[in-house]
Amino acid sequence: MNIKKISIPLAIALLMFPQLIETMYSPALTSIKNHFAVSAENAAQGLSIFFMAFAFGVVFWGRLCDVIGRRNSTLAGLTLFIISAIFTYFASNFDLFLFGFGSCAFGAAVGSVCTQTILRDSFEGAELAWLFSIAATSIGISPVIGMLIGSWLTSHGDYTWVFAAMILLVALLFIWSSIQLPETKPENIKRDSLLFVANKMIRDSHIWYITLMIGLTNIALFSYYNIAPFMFEQLGASVKFFGYTGFVLAIGSVLGSLINIKLIRCKINSDFIVFIATVLMIISGVGVYLLQHTIWFFIPMALISLSFGLTLPNLLSTALTNYRDHLGSAGALLGLSYYLIIGFGLDLVASVGSLAITLLACGSCCLLLVCSKKFIATTQQRNAQTQTN
């Protein structure tokens, strides 16, 4: 295996960039709505389209990682993003705008699947969980950066300023990756068909659990970016105020990741950590429900971010331990599954239009999944002991 490893700053930058792009876009929703004369619900469709296109991008680039390598796939995806963002910048109508933004998402998927594959090539076990926690801490800052940049650009210009900034940022990331990104693809990697890997994963209950948990956790977090801009608009708050709320979410996410690192070092069971995170999600939903008619409803969202920082590293680090022979393809299929759930979920969220209901529903479903997993594991353990005796 190629022992050359990616630098942690570059890995973090690549992992951050899709979420940075998404959160830069969110403050521009009201500008997009007004420019193209569409409804708030139609404007919010961009986020659901982003995740759906992102899902198919994850499959494409993840598979390509196993074919042409991790480095070449990443550079190709970044190039596609830049071209798509330029197209979106000049889009003359809303349909072309959505097509361009979807293409941006397709290219941005390399930041998730290719970088995770590169990390899994080089690390495993507790070390990988620790790295994902470090990454989650850094990613937790990206909403602040994205929302501040997006809100500032939107308030001083319009949504086109946001896309111009995206083009510049990703162009710089492309140059950095061209210089420093290593190729970590193992020489003896298996070239099983995507259908073979998919068949194996479909029959894996652990994969289903991971997929649903990641999907629901992301829906809970990103529903804020989907609904909150219009809630603040109705309450008379400015787009800049929405941008500043990102600090609260970032504090929660960073705290969650730092707490998770401490718990990992203390060898606390990951399932217990995830259980605590789901309880926090439900508490956050109750808080948002109580405060939804005031501008302070964003404060309980810190618990959602904290829950996100606790949950995601523990899910991602254990997701593909049985698929090390085809990490690119398995990571692609896993990503396709949970990003489709996120995309369809956010589309439903835009129709419902209630942040509190969304958080309570996601938290309740996650709690049910965690308890079901524990019950099944306990039952299997008892049956095994009975058979042994």
Side-chain angles (χ1 to χ4, degrees), residues 205 208-217 271 274-275 278 315 341 361-377:
S205 60
W208 282 102
Y209 168 77
I210 294 290
T211 300
L212 291 170
M213 287 293 294
I214 293 177
L216 290 166
T217 303
D271 288 336
V274 173
F275 170 76
T278 59
L315 295 175
I341 290 173
C362 290
S364 298
C365 289
C366 285
L367 185 61
L368 179 62
L369 285 168
V370 171
C371 292
S372 297
K373 182 188 177 186
K374 178 64 176 177
F375 175 77
I376 292 171

Side-chain angles (χ1 to χ4, degrees), residues 90-203:
F90 290 106
S92 58
N93 60 63
F94 190 60
D95 289 336
L96 289 176
F97 174 85
L98 288 179
F99 174 80
F101 191 52
S103 298
C104 288
F106 190 89
V110 296
S112 175
V113 65
C114 293
T115 311
Q116 287 187 44
T117 302
I118 289 170
L119 290 174
R120 290 186 178 110
D121 283 336
S122 306
F123 307 97
E124 57 183 297
E127 189 177 21
L128 183 61
W130 179 80
L131 280 170
F132 274 126
S133 294
I134 294 293
T137 304
S138 303
I139 291 171
I141 302 171
S142 63
V144 176
I145 301 172
M147 290 171 68
L148 286 176
I149 293 174
S151 60
W152 187 89
L153 291 170
T154 303
S155 62
H156 288 80
D158 59 14
Y159 77 92
T160 58
W161 286 37
V162 173
F163 278 89
M166 289 181 187
I167 294 166
L168 177 61
L169 288 172
V170 179
L172 293 174
L173 184 57
F174 176 86
I175 294 170
W176 186 7
S177 299
S178 299
I179 297 171
Q180 288 196 356
L181 188 66
E183 179 55 70
T184 62
K185 176 186 172 186
E187 295 180 1
N188 59 343
I189 192 169
K190 289 187 178 181
R191 292 288 296 275
D192 293 321
S193 71
L194 205 60
L195 287 176
F196 174 85
V197 180
N199 183 53
K200 180 180 178 182
M201 295 178 75
I202 286 173
R203 292 181 283 109

Side-chain angles (χ1 to χ4, degrees), residues 229-262:
F230 305 111
M231 293 177 68
F232 282 120
E233 185 181 39
Q234 291 175 355
L235 293 167
S238 68
V239 68
K240 282 187 177 181
F241 184 83
F242 172 62
Y244 295 145
T245 66
F247 281 106
V248 173
L249 275 70
I251 290 170
S253 183
V254 171
L255 279 177
S257 300
L258 293 175
I259 292 170
N260 189 59
I261 292 171
K262 180 68 175 178

Side-chain angles (χ1 to χ4, degrees), residues 37-105:
V38 296
S39 67
E41 182 179 338
N42 286 335
Q45 280 183 337
L47 291 178
S48 58
I49 288 174
F50 181 91
F51 281 106
M52 290 178 192
F54 198 95
F56 289 104
V58 164
V59 173
F60 180 82
W61 300 115
R63 182 59 177 171
L64 212 60
C65 276
D66 286 347
V67 177
I68 68 172
R70 287 45 163 155
R71 174 184 164 85
N72 290 335
S73 298
T74 302
L75 295 177
L78 294 175
T79 301
L80 177 61
F81 179 93
I82 294 169
I83 294 171
S84 300
I86 293 172
F87 176 88
T88 309
Y89 179 93
F90 290 106
S92 58
N93 60 63
F94 190 60
D95 289 336
L96 289 176
F97 174 85
L98 288 179
F99 174 80
F101 191 52
S103 298
C104 288

Side-chain angles (χ1 to χ4, degrees), residues 268-344:
I268 303 298
N269 184 274
S270 62
D271 288 336
F272 181 72
I273 297 174
V274 173
F275 170 76
I276 295 299
T278 59
V279 173
L280 291 175
M281 196 183 301
I282 294 173
I283 294 173
S284 175
V286 173
V288 171
Y289 178 80
L290 295 175
L291 296 173
Q292 61 185 327
H293 298 300
T294 74
I295 61 171
W296 308 111
F297 72 86
F298 69 90
I299 294 177
M301 284 298 301
L303 291 179
I304 289 292
S305 297
L306 195 152
S307 173
F308 188 84
L310 287 172
T311 304
L312 222 62
N314 289 289
L315 295 175
L316 289 174
S317 62
T318 62
L320 300 177
T321 52
N322 296 324
Y323 299 86
R324 297 197 65 84
D325 289 335
H326 22 244
L327 282 175
S329 299
L333 291 169
L334 177 67
L336 170 67
S337 302
Y338 64 71
Y339 278 116
L340 281 178
I341 290 173
I342 297 168
F344 283 113

